[in-house]
Amino acid sequence: MGFSKFTKKTSLSEEDRKALQDLLNFEKEKLQLALKDVEDSLKALRTPKKKSKKKKK
């Protein structure tokens, strides 16, 4: 990812480092929520639909 390349040879102030860490944690949480949505959708697609039983008269 571009962030790791940016931070490798760059010296950041403590304030900038904390801000970047907060930003990355926020982005990580957004990605985890999106991944959970995708996994839930895949789970729903994999689950076979139950056939409704017809009553005989």
Side-chain angles (χ1 to χ4, degrees):
M1 192 172 213
F3 290 117
S4 61
K5 289 180 182 178
F6 170 75
T7 57
K8 271 189 180 176
K9 296 182 181 180
T10 305
S11 60
L12 295 172
S13 69
E14 196 60 36
E15 184 179 322
D16 289 342
R17 186 178 309 279
K18 177 122 175 73
L20 182 58
Q21 187 175 13
D22 289 344
L23 173 67
L24 291 176
N25 283 333
F26 176 73
E27 292 296 327
K28 179 181 173 183
E29 289 174 10
K30 281 190 349 186
L31 288 172
Q32 286 175 333
L33 286 174
L35 180 61
K36 184 182 180 311
D37 288 343
V38 169
E39 287 176 345
D40 290 345
S41 297
L42 285 172
K43 184 178 177 182
L45 289 173
R46 280 190 221 117
T47 306
K49 291 185 178 179
K50 293 181 181 179
K51 294 181 182 178
S52 59
K53 294 181 181 178
K54 293 182 180 178
K55 293 184 179 180
K56 293 183 181 179
K57 292 185 178 180

